[in-house]
Amino acid sequence: MHLYKTVKGFVVEREDEFKTIEGESSWDDLINRDDLADYLSGQWDSSPPANDLASLLESGLLAPVGSQEVWAAGVTYYSSRLARMEESQDAGGGDFYSRVYQAERPEIFMKATPARVVGPNAPFRIRKDSDWDVPEPELTLFATSSGKIVAYTIGNDVSSRSIEGENPLYLPQAKTFDECACLGPCLFVPNQPLGPDTGVELSISRGEEKVFSGSTSLAQMKRTPEELVGFLFRETSFASGVFLMTGTGIVPGTDFTLSSGDVVSISIDSIGVLTNPVR
Ligand code: DO4
Ligand code: MG
């Protein structure tokens, strides 16, 4: 099932049929359930059809986030390890990335509060004090307050490579600022976890021209979602659950930087497509 947060309420989709979830005033309460898939299935028969969904999907989708923090894992793909080593060579940072790729403890950082997240079709920012900026297309987990992964969405961990590459200690500035994270278009709530053959694609358009495209699959990820969530929940609690971006496996070449007006589309099998322009 796909669960959408819209300007007109909460909408669930199953096999191209859409229904409105009634009697739920809070997104946090709706999604923070260990039995979310069963709960939505149970609601299905008694829920009314969502009629004007076509227009909602055009303009009324919100990021599928309530009060949850958004965290992110890094250097979980070999391609990310290589790219970070390259960008931080002059700063002597390469070794850190190589070590964290091998280490038992993953890199996990706080990416965004809900107010810094943008939803489907909304513009995101790149920093004015950065001259090398990229989208990072990432499978994003939603784990409940008990640490159970019950849903997935698509995330864009927008990053400044010039700031991150200058000094690894600048990571929070490279990663966290206004409108620095995109999430959506929905929560995918499956009965079974996503498999390793799940594909991830990134495409970037500039006007009529496609200026970048790339793809990977979850099979290339070095860590498991459960492992990442296990580390995140060590000594840290999340009253309404938490979103966790799982790292990028697609990194545009060193000659590529985002520009204002570029349109970034990320697609992940079974979840959907998340499209956002650069402000
Ligand atoms: O270590 C820097 C950030 C890594 C990251 O965001 C990623 O690999 O996706
Ligand atoms: Mg990332």
Side-chain angles (χ1 to χ4, degrees):
M1 285 190 166
H2 295 93
L3 180 61
Y4 294 90
K5 187 179 185 191
T6 81
V7 291
K8 292 199 181 158
F10 311 143
V11 172
V12 67
E13 179 260 334
R14 190 164 81 176
E15 291 163 13
D16 292 335
E17 205 185 330
F18 293 87
K19 293 196 168 186
T20 303
I21 299 283
E22 292 191 320
E24 290 284 348
S25 54
S26 145
W27 181 253
D28 284 1
D29 291 345
L30 173 61
I31 66 174
N32 186 29
R33 295 171 193 271
D34 286 352
D35 64 346
L36 183 59
D38 289 345
Y39 178 79
L40 293 177
S41 297
Q43 294 289 305
W44 183 258
D45 286 341
S46 57
S47 297
N51 291 324
D52 54 352
L53 202 86
S55 61
L56 275 185
L57 291 185
E58 285 280 301
S59 60
L61 289 183
L62 302 172
V65 65
S67 67
Q68 295 83 12
E69 294 168 356
V70 180
W71 287 65
V75 199
T76 51
Y77 289 78
Y78 195 75
S79 50
S80 177
R81 169 193 177 273
L82 275 184
R84 314 282 164 191
M85 289 177 73
E86 199 176 5
E87 79 190 7
S88 62
Q89 224 166 29
D90 292 348
D95 193 39
F96 291 111
Y97 295 109
S98 172
R99 286 196 207 184
V100 82
Y101 184 76
Q102 306 286 353
E104 188 205 350
R105 184 187 291 274
E107 177 193 13
I108 296 183
F109 56 93
M110 168 79 172
K111 170 66 182 176
T113 50
R116 300 192 200 286
V117 174
V118 303
N121 307 313
F124 68 89
R125 286 187 199 220
I126 49 177
R127 294 184 62 119
K128 291 196 185 73
D129 58 356
S130 166
D131 58 11
W132 188 15
D133 304 279
V134 289
E136 294 190 356
E138 306 192 8
L139 173 71
T140 301
L141 316 171
F142 174 66
T144 62
S145 48
S146 67
K148 182 170 180 204
I149 300 165
V150 293
Y152 304 92
T153 189
I154 300 174
N156 180 356
D157 171 23
V158 184
S159 301
S160 161
R161 293 192 68 186
S162 49
I163 295 175
E164 177 185 279
E166 192 178 334
N167 187 321
L169 296 181
Y170 293 156
L171 187 84
Q173 294 174 77
K175 295 285 188 181
T176 304
F177 43 93
D178 290 346
E179 298 173 338
C180 64
C182 314
L183 284 186
C186 61
L187 289 186
F188 173 54
V189 185
N191 291 309
Q192 300 294 328
L194 282 177
D197 54 348
T198 302
V200 180
E201 285 180 23
L202 167 66
S203 87
I204 306 171
S205 307
R206 189 164 294 159
E208 296 298 297
E209 197 190 346
K210 190 174 275 190
V211 286
F212 178 81
S213 65
S215 63
T216 187
S217 77
L218 300 188
Q220 302 304 313
M221 209 202 299
K222 181 161 189 281
R223 317 245 179 198
T224 64
E226 291 72 21
E227 177 187 349
L228 296 173
V229 167
F231 271 95
L232 178 59
F233 275 71
R234 282 192 186 182
E235 307 299 333
T236 311
S237 54
F238 301 97
S240 300
V242 63
F243 287 87
L244 177 60
M245 296 179 169
T246 57
T248 187
I250 306 172
V251 186
T254 50
D255 55 346
F256 179 86
T257 185
L258 285 170
S259 300
S260 177
D262 286 357
V263 176
V264 174
S265 280
I266 303 169
S267 102
I268 302 186
D269 292 343
S270 305
I271 305 178
V273 183
L274 173 65
T275 300
N276 300 90
V278 182
R279 185 178 287 287

